[in-house]
Amino acid sequence: MSGTIIPTRWTAQDVMRIKAAPESYAPLITAQPRVIDSLDLWDYWPVQHADGHPAQIAGGTLFISLSAPILPDPDARHAMARMRLLHNVGANWHDLGPVLPDGLSPGSREWSGSAMLSPDGVTITLYYTVAGIRDEAEISFVQRLFQTSARLSVEKDSVILSPWATPKECVTPDDVHYSSDMTGGGAIGSIKAFRDPAFFRDPADGAEYLLFAGSLARSTSAWNGAVGIARRIAENGWQILPPLVDADGLNNELERPHVIVRNGLYYLFWSTQTKVFAPSGPAGPTGLYGMVAERLSGPWRPLNGSGLVFGNPPAAPYQAYSWLVLPDLRVQSFVDLVGLTEPPRDVAQARAHFGGTPAPELQIMLDGERAWLA
């Protein structure tokens, strides 16, 4: 990283610049076929090279997705999420089963992360969120960042990751920059964050980082989301650093943050939802947001003056979530609640409208501080 981090705050004044124009919204999603009939899938990411490009493996791309059985209440999926390995070849998806063996992970469930292929194509390193504690009597909101690795082998058309190393905790909250108290009252939208590790190698100097969704320590606001970062200082060691961006007083969750470099500029993206903006201030649509800078350390400037890249359309404000921007500017996400203009009135309606499968890919364009859908 070139220079000391220059703290950047995403503010209410930024959000007030959001323009309710057609180009600000993604196209409507129609019902999409499920990748796996018996499972809900969400928050998926490809196995990538260190430069961020998806790795080509056995004629396709390996994806890791959060998964859960199809439950009466789709929100209940978060309490039993496990990572699932998928192989995408053209228009076809192949289910390769759970990523990690039963009992290997030290939590009660597994949440989002990133996965990198070694330069020699032999090893996949997985960074992910361990949620809860193994065998806990009551579901907790503890979130820890872990890493593990496995050997990749391809036998005919079969992809195998084995054996997995014992997962090791890689970054811990310091209660100086990031809070270790993650309960936030426990209600959906109020839970605090220390999750979603995303690997990034800075082309400026080759240094390696993990970005993550965090919550500011020592904040006086209940809405204190932040984009956290840690730098690798040894083969298995990471130094925690101050946040790149925070939304203190504005927003509780800057989820799945990640960085790409395009035309010499650094672009930081995150996802957030209308319901996690502070009720006392302006709220943007559920959507993809981002900032731009000349270097990873900042200072960061909101894209389009507001931070909004695009949101779900007003006719379907809950249709998709958890966007990931790839270096070629393709954007991946999952189908959330399709065809609803208001929050679901009950569990049955939520289940009837929940997609639980990959959403159609989108494409964005970037030009300096401007970003728009192609």
Side-chain angles (χ1 to χ4, degrees):
M1 182 184 296
S2 178
T4 303
I5 289 176
I6 301 173
T8 300
R9 178 155 294 167
W10 187 36
T11 68
Q13 288 72 30
D14 297 329
V15 174
M16 290 174 66
R17 298 189 188 101
I18 292 175
K19 297 176 181 178
E23 61 268 23
S24 300
Y25 300 109
L28 285 169
I29 294 176
T30 57
Q32 298 293 307
R34 283 182 171 270
V35 169
I36 305 176
D37 290 338
S38 61
L39 295 175
D40 282 334
L41 302 177
W42 71 103
D43 286 18
Y44 71 112
W45 61 94
V47 174
Q48 296 166 283
H49 294 295
D51 64 4
H53 287 88
Q56 290 297 301
I57 298 171
T61 305
L62 281 181
F63 282 90
I64 296 172
S65 174
L66 300 190
S67 70
I70 296 176
L71 305 167
D73 181 1
D75 274 342
R77 70 188 188 276
H78 302 293
M80 54 192 314
R82 287 196 67 182
M83 292 180 292
R84 197 88 178 177
L85 188 63
L86 307 168
H87 192 211
N88 176 232
V89 183
N92 298 315
W93 292 84
H94 305 282
D95 176 23
L96 303 183
V99 174
L100 300 180
D102 292 346
L104 182 67
S105 194
S108 60
R109 58 248 197 246
E110 301 156 3
W111 287 354
S112 297
S114 58
M116 315 309 297
L117 180 65
S118 62
D120 60 8
V122 172
T123 302
I124 288 179
T125 300
L126 171 67
Y127 304 94
Y128 73 108
T129 309
V130 169
I133 306 296
R134 185 187 297 168
D135 299 324
E136 59 190 2
E138 183 177 348
I139 291 293
S140 70
F141 300 98
V142 173
Q143 298 154 48
R144 295 173 289 164
L145 306 187
F146 274 70
Q147 67 183 74
T148 181
S149 61
R151 183 178 180 84
L152 168 68
S153 59
V154 178
E155 300 177 3
K156 295 183 179 179
D157 293 328
S158 178
V159 180
I160 300 170
L161 297 179
S162 183
W164 284 99
T166 300
K168 295 182 179 180
E169 193 166 9
C170 50
V171 183
T172 58
D174 55 3
D175 282 319
V176 175
H177 302 298
Y178 310 101
S179 176
S180 61
D181 180 1
M182 299 164 213
T183 55
I188 292 175
S190 69
I191 299 169
K192 295 304 171 185
F194 199 76
R195 58 179 181 266
D196 305 344
F199 178 90
F200 176 71
R201 186 180 67 186
D202 191 345
D205 57 7
E208 296 179 346
Y209 299 88
L210 286 179
L211 281 74
F212 54 88
S215 297
L216 290 178
R218 306 175 181 178
S219 172
T220 59
S221 174
W223 292 270
N224 59 351
V227 173
I229 188 169
R231 176 174 178 157
R232 191 193 298 274
I233 55 174
E235 181 62 29
N236 291 305
W238 298 86
Q239 175 189 14
I240 204 160
L241 301 172
L244 294 180
V245 171
D246 74 72
D248 200 24
L250 175 70
N251 185 289
N252 187 50
E253 296 177 354
L254 308 185
E255 297 194 284
R256 295 196 68 194
H258 55 285
V259 168
I260 67 169
V261 177
R262 186 84 174 182
N263 296 328
L265 294 173
Y266 292 71
Y267 289 91
L268 166 65
F269 298 100
W270 67 86
S271 297
T272 198
Q273 303 177 76
T274 300
K275 65 184 180 183
V276 299
F277 282 89
S280 60
T286 295
L288 175 70
Y289 291 79
M291 293 193 178
V292 62
E294 277 71 31
R295 56 191 63 85
L296 185 61
S297 57
W300 295 88
R301 303 179 299 281
L303 289 169
N304 299 326
S306 66
L308 179 67
V309 178
F310 63 81
N312 282 332
Y318 316 102
Q319 72 172 10
Y321 193 59
S322 196
W323 292 272
L324 176 68
V325 182
L326 298 174
D328 63 3
L329 305 187
R330 285 181 296 146
V331 185
Q332 299 170 335
S333 65
F334 79 93
V335 183
D336 198 350
L337 296 169
V338 175
L340 291 179
T341 58
E342 301 290 339
R345 61 178 176 269
D346 53 31
V347 167
Q349 189 183 38
R351 169 46 63 193
H353 288 265
F354 184 70
T357 199
E361 283 189 350
L362 299 174
Q363 184 86 27
I364 62 170
M365 302 292 286
L366 297 172
D367 182 9
E369 297 182 18
R370 294 179 58 238
W372 65 96
L373 281 165

